[in-house]
Amino acid sequence: MTPRQQRVLILGGGYAGLYTALGLQRHRGDTPIEIVVVDRNAYMTYQPLLPEVAGGHVAPSDVTVSLRRTLRRSRIIRGSVAAVDIETKTAEITQVDGSSIHLDYDQVVFALGAVTRVFPTPGLHDNAVGFKTVEEAVYTHNRVLEQVTLAAASSDADARAKALTFVVVGGGYTGVEALSELSDLSKLAVRANPSLSMSDLRWVLIEALDRVAPEVGPELSKWTLEQLRERGVDVRLKTTINSAVDGNIELSTGETLPADTIIWTAGVQPNPALDLTNAPRGPKKHVVANTRLQVVRDDGSVVEGAWAVGDNAQIPDLTAAKQPAYYPPNAQNALRQGVLLAKNILASIRDEEPAEYRHASLGTVAGYGVGRGAALLNLGPLRGVKLRNLPAWLAHRSYHGAVIPTVRRKIRVVAGWAVEALTGRETVSLAATQHPRHIFEESFDALPK
């Protein structure tokens, strides 16, 4: 007998949510399901390439994947979670126009991802920018170029120094990648301004731990620190920020750094939209799941019809030597969890046993600018291989060029790299596009009074 149609509600259209929906579309066969994806954006962002967007290597649109175009057999709702009750299997969604939708569901997927982790540091809200979205990557690209332009036009030595001081807070590999790309971009811009010199630029990396880029392992982490300092980056380890009021950064060491640009990459946390649900949560506010990606209560019992994947999920890693262990929040896991979850949901609907998620990390690749990078490989005969500079950078680009979703995006990203290799990078700031009506409004100022 054919089972009744079930509604699968996927909360979040990021990596995990996208691949869950794609898998359901591809493998549902004769299983009658309705797929509903909820996300406030109309696109999924491939976050690993955001540093290359900031650096000007990749067009912003090329790291975004249209949900409607990719998930043609799914219903896409642009909105955010207002409430989810896992016991009654109901959800309230607030659409982008402010209206509300009530949805009953049979299966719900928590794939809301993570957001930038912040602290109530004075001045941080008003003077810093994150690095988690394509919009932030574009902003930092334009910001760096604009600051160089402003410094070149300034005759005030203090104002010039503040404009050309860029502070990145958070020394994980994302922070190191962002700083590397943006510092290279700033050097290109300075070379185009005869009134400026390289010695005017100051890049500062602030990290609370005693190392940078720990994701690439101790040996490459130490090497990355040495490379940054050789490139002129002022790296402050075991240091935090006490205040950022008016762009004057007060460090835990007692020193003050005047800087007009603060880029915050100090970690992530599960999406706070989970607070609007009654899903079981772990000590770090992730949705608690088992190895089959099923949401579980504190007593270990399975919440029927509830699943969790990606950065908002606490999923046991049974492949780790030391237990208990949980999978880290990265695209490598989100993709594979989404693929498996689609199969598990269909298996559950068909009264079959869902499979366990087991994945040994393939390693970590990090790009530190053109021809530079670090990579720790854990793939087959390459297990434990450490790469530096050009080989690591090629591994970084090869991997991300291969795994970015959709063939269309793969072609556009690789083609963009090829064009840049032939023509070079652009260093024009398009900061004015952030407020496009200003020019139009100025036309009214010229009208006769």
Side-chain angles (χ1 to χ4, degrees):
M1 183 177 70
T2 302
R4 68 173 180 83
Q5 183 181 59
Q6 292 202 15
R7 173 178 287 162
V8 182
L9 176 61
I10 301 174
L11 303 175
Y15 222 144
L18 174 70
Y19 272 90
T20 301
L22 275 174
L24 288 171
Q25 288 187 165
R26 291 170 178 169
H27 303 299
R28 63 183 177 183
D30 296 330
T31 304
I33 57 173
E34 177 194 5
I35 307 165
V36 180
V37 180
V38 177
D39 198 285
R40 65 180 179 180
N41 293 319
Y43 52 85
M44 169 266 186
T45 300
Y46 187 70
Q47 294 178 359
L49 284 181
L50 290 184
E52 296 227 8
V53 171
H57 306 293
V58 177
S61 61
D62 291 344
V63 299
T64 59
V65 178
S66 168
L67 295 178
R68 294 191 189 279
R69 186 168 189 169
T70 307
L71 303 175
R72 295 183 184 274
R73 298 168 66 189
S74 301
R75 176 186 175 191
I76 309 299
I77 298 177
R78 286 196 62 192
S80 55
V81 174
V84 175
D85 190 325
I86 59 173
E87 303 301 335
T88 62
K89 293 190 173 183
T90 58
E92 299 291 335
I93 306 299
T94 302
Q95 298 190 98
V96 289
D97 65 356
S99 62
S100 297
I101 298 178
H102 173 87
L103 291 173
D104 296 311
Y105 65 81
D106 298 284
Q107 311 283 337
V108 65
V109 176
F110 292 98
L112 291 165
V115 299
T116 301
R117 181 182 60 189
V118 295
F119 304 99
T121 305
L124 187 63
H125 175 275
D126 296 328
N127 297 290
V129 63
F131 201 82
K132 191 78 171 62
T133 68
V134 67
E135 293 84 1
E136 290 170 329
V138 171
Y139 173 85
T140 56
H141 174 89
N142 289 326
R143 175 74 177 185
V144 166
L145 296 176
E146 196 71 6
Q147 290 300 107
V148 171
T149 299
L150 291 173
S154 177
S155 58
D156 185 315
D158 290 338
R160 174 181 285 197
K162 192 173 183 181
L164 293 179
T165 298
F166 304 92
V167 176
V168 176
V169 184
Y173 79 89
T174 297
V176 175
E177 285 185 315
L179 181 149
S180 299
E181 289 287 3
L182 289 168
S183 64
D184 284 352
L185 180 69
S186 69
K187 291 172 185 176
L188 288 175
V190 165
R191 290 192 190 102
N193 284 277
S195 62
L196 299 176
S197 67
M198 291 299 173
S199 60
D200 294 325
L201 279 173
R202 186 182 186 188
W203 282 88
V204 184
L205 178 62
I206 298 174
E207 171 53 47
L209 300 179
D210 60 355
R211 59 196 182 279
V212 298
E215 298 90 343
V216 296
E219 182 180 330
L220 288 176
S221 170
K222 181 180 178 181
W223 177 83
T224 297
L225 176 61
E226 294 169 352
Q227 291 296 304
L228 288 173
R229 286 176 168 161
E230 286 181 11
R231 292 166 70 172
V233 179
D234 182 359
V235 182
R236 307 295 185 92
L237 301 178
K238 299 181 181 179
T239 304
T240 57
I241 288 181
N242 294 332
S243 174
V245 175
D246 297 327
N248 295 309
I249 304 174
E250 296 178 12
L251 304 179
S252 56
T253 59
E255 185 179 355
T256 298
L257 298 176
D260 279 342
T261 304
I262 306 170
I263 301 169
W264 187 268
T265 63
V268 297
Q269 62 188 9
N271 196 319
L274 293 170
D275 294 340
L276 302 172
T277 79
N278 59 353
R281 311 279 290 282
K284 295 184 178 180
K285 301 301 182 181
H286 299 82
V287 178
V288 181
N290 61 20
T291 56
R292 290 178 170 81
L293 312 179
Q294 298 164 305
V295 175
V296 293
R297 301 181 180 87
D298 293 342
D299 62 4
S301 61
V302 172
V303 178
E304 197 273 326
W307 313 79
V309 283
D311 294 0
N312 72 182
Q314 177 182 292
I315 299 170
D317 179 4
L318 300 184
T319 68
K322 186 177 179 181
Q323 297 292 330
Y326 302 96
Y327 286 101
N330 57 35
Q332 190 178 137
N333 282 302
L335 183 159
R336 288 164 177 80
Q337 289 168 7
V339 170
L340 177 64
L341 178 55
K343 297 177 182 177
N344 279 359
I345 290 174
L346 292 172
S348 175
I349 294 172
R350 297 165 184 161
D351 292 325
E352 300 170 358
E353 187 72 14
E356 288 189 333
Y357 178 72
R358 291 174 182 259
H359 171 66
S361 174
L362 301 179
T364 302
V365 289
Y368 301 156
V370 176
R372 297 168 174 170
L376 175 62
L377 306 182
N378 289 315
L379 184 62
L382 299 179
R383 183 171 300 277
V385 171
K386 303 176 183 67
L387 303 177
R388 297 170 175 82
N389 284 329
L390 183 60
W393 178 74
L394 290 173
H396 160 79
R397 283 205 163 177
S398 298
Y399 176 77
H400 291 302
V403 303
I404 187 170
T406 78
V407 173
R408 182 186 302 273
R409 287 293 170 264
K410 297 180 199 297
I411 293 172
R412 292 182 66 90
V413 166
V414 173
W417 287 334
V419 170
E420 182 196 9
L422 294 172
T423 64
R425 253 192 293 188
E426 292 292 339
T427 57
V428 177
S429 169
L430 295 178
T433 59
Q434 294 161 22
H435 305 285
R437 294 191 69 252
H438 284 183
I439 297 175
F440 182 71
E441 290 167 349
E442 288 176 357
S443 299
F444 287 87
D445 296 334
L447 290 175
K449 303 300 182 182

